[in-house]
Amino acid sequence: MNTTLSLVQTLREMTPSAQESLLAIRLSTVTGLRDWFDVADALLTTTSIDRGLARLRRNELVELVGGNVSDVGNAHLKELALGDGSAAFAETIARASAIAFDNSEPPTDALATIDERYERAALEQATAMVTRIDELLELMAVRGLRTVSRGSISSADATRVAAAIPDLPADLSGLLHLMRGAELVELSNGLWSVATTNPWSNAGTAERWSLLAQGWRASLTPAILDALTERADWADALTAYLQWLFPVDPEVVLSQSTVALTQADALGLRVNGSRTTVGAEIALGNLPAATARVSALLPSYIEKVMVQSDLTIVAPGPLRPEIESKLRRIATVESRSIASTYRLSAPLISRAMDHGLSATEIEGFLGDISSTGIPQPVAYLISDVGTKHASIRVRSEGRGTLITCSDAALAKRLHADFALKALGLTVETELSLSSPHDVSVVMRNLLGEKYPAALENETGEIQPWEPAPATPTGSTSVVNAISALVERLNASAAPVNEGDDQWLVRQIEVAIRNRTLVNVTVALPDGSSRDFLIDPRGLSNGRFRGLDRKSEVERTLPLASITAITPAEVA
C-alpha cells in the first residue's frame, strides 16, 4: 500500500480539532507545508514517527512490534497518524522494531501512611488558596492579565497581582490553567480574562474547591490519570513508573505530570510526595466523598454580620453563599480569613441600582443580616447614592452619545470639567449635552470621574452597564501556525470530489515517486466505469501512463476520464 496516499486519506477523515492536536504532537514546525501530501510526507519522517511512538505505552509498543494490535490499539494509532485504523503503517512498525526497550517489570509503588494532621493542614492551605483565587477573579474582572510570547504573565500584570494578593505563587501560569480547567477563566488573543458564566460566585468554599478539583481531574491526560489512580506515591516512584511506561521518550508525559502534581499540591491532594485520602478519591472520580471531607474541615456558615460606622462589614465566619453573593454586589472584599471584612462602595451600590435594586431594598437587606443595626453613616451613604442615582442619563444617539442631566447646574459642570475635555461635549439644550464618541467611551469617562451616570435605552429605562474587558496592547491576535495551516488546507486545498484534477495529479505524483500500485477508476463513454490496477510510469500533457498489472499492458489514461485513485492492496 502507498503509505502517503493512505495517510492523506486518514488526515482528511479527521476533524479540524483532531488534525490540530495531531500536528502539535507530531511536527515541530509546519513551515513550507503546502497541502496534505506535504503534511503526510512530514509525518513519515523518522523524527515525526518517533514523536508519535513516544505517546504509546509499553504494552502498545509490544503489540505493535508483535503484529497483534487490538482494535482499540489501531484506533489509537489512527489518532496519532501511525496507522489507518485497520493496521499500522509499515514505516511505523519498522521504526518501532528498531527501538530497543527491555521487558522489565514496572517499578514498585511506595505506599506511605500520612499523618491525618498533615493531610488536614494541606486541605486547610488549599481552602485558603480558594479564597485567594476568588480575590484574583475580582482583580481580573476589572482588567485581565496579559501574556508575553512564552506564555507567562507580563511583568506589569504580575506586579499588579503580587501587590494586591501577596500570597499567590510567583508563577501564575499553573494557577491560571487550574482555573481554566474549572472554566473560571479563559485565554484568548494573549489575554486571560474571567469567563462569562460560571457557578463560582454562588458556591461556598468547599463547593469552590470541588469545582477546581473536578476541573483538575478533567484536564489530565488518560495516561497521567491512570498513573495517579494506580500509584500511591506521587513523587519519585511515579516518575520512575512513567519512565518505564513510556520507553521511547517519557519527557512529554513527565512534563505533564509535573504540572499536574504542582496543581495537586495547591489542592491539598499530596503531602510529602504521597497521595492523600482526598487525592485518591479525586483520582478515582469520587468527587462527593472528597468534597464532604473538605467541608468537614470548614466552620459552619453564619447569617449575621457587624455593620460598622466606618462603612466596613465584618463577618466573623463564612457567610452563606447566597448572602455573600448579594453582599458583594454592594461591597468589596477587604480581607479574608476566619473573619472577613467587606467595605461598602458607592459605585457598587449605584451599579446594583442599575440592576433594579432600590435604596430601600439595599438598606433592608443590610438590616436583615446586621447584628448591630444600621449605623447613620451607612444609611446616609445609601440614601445619598439613591438620590443621585441616574441624575446623569446616557444613551446612544446616532453615531454619538446624548447625555441628559437632572438639572442645569449639573449639565454646566460637566461641560466645564477639564477632565472630560476628550469627550468633545457640545451643549444641546439646558439639560443635555452630546458627544461624538461611543456610549461606552462616555460611560467609562463619566464613571471614572465619579459622576453618577447611568445607561438608558430608547424608552428611557435604566440598563446595567458593564465595562468591556481590557485588551492587550500591541498585536491583538496570537497566530497559531498549526491552526492557520489546518484552516487553510481544509478551506482551499481539499478537493470537492475525488475526481478533481489537482487532487488526482498529486496522488499520481506520489504514486510515481514511491513506485507503488494504485487502483484507477476511469469513466467510459457509455456512462459506466472501469477499475485498473496500475503500476505508474509517468504523467504528461494531461495523460497518466502506467502498466496494467492485470493484463500486463501499458495504458495511457486521460486525466479528464479518471474519477478516483486509491491505494492498492497487494498480497
Side-chain angles (χ1 to χ4, degrees), residues 449-462:
E449 295 302 320
K450 309 302 182 185
Y451 285 106
L455 182 67
E456 67 176 10
N457 60 17
E458 295 80 359
T459 61
E461 296 176 339
I462 298 298

Side-chain angles (χ1 to χ4, degrees), residues 126-131 133-134 137 184 198-213 291 294-295 298-302 317-325 328 336 342:
T127 56
M129 177 61 70
V130 169
T131 299
I133 287 176
D134 191 50
L137 287 171
L184 302 178
N198 62 72
W200 178 271
S201 58
N202 293 324
T205 302
E207 289 75 18
R208 289 175 175 177
W209 176 90
S210 178
L211 287 172
L212 293 169
T291 305
V294 172
S295 182
L298 301 172
S300 301
Y301 290 128
I302 63 171
L319 286 169
R320 286 197 174 280
E322 60 272 18
I323 294 177
E324 186 189 30
S325 176
R328 287 175 58 177
R336 280 191 180 276
Y342 305 81

Side-chain angles (χ1 to χ4, degrees), residues 196-257:
T196 53
T197 58
N198 62 72
W200 178 271
S201 58
N202 293 324
T205 302
E207 289 75 18
R208 289 175 175 177
W209 176 90
S210 178
L211 287 172
L212 293 169
Q214 185 177 19
W216 172 79
R217 187 179 187 276
S219 70
L220 300 176
T221 63
I224 297 297
L225 179 58
D226 289 347
L228 296 180
T229 302
E230 297 167 5
R231 315 288 290 190
D233 188 315
W234 285 5
D236 294 341
L238 178 65
T239 299
Y241 174 69
L242 292 174
Q243 289 173 331
W244 173 87
L245 188 62
F246 293 89
V248 175
D249 184 3
E251 290 306 314
V252 172
V253 73
L254 289 178
S255 175
Q256 293 171 343
S257 70

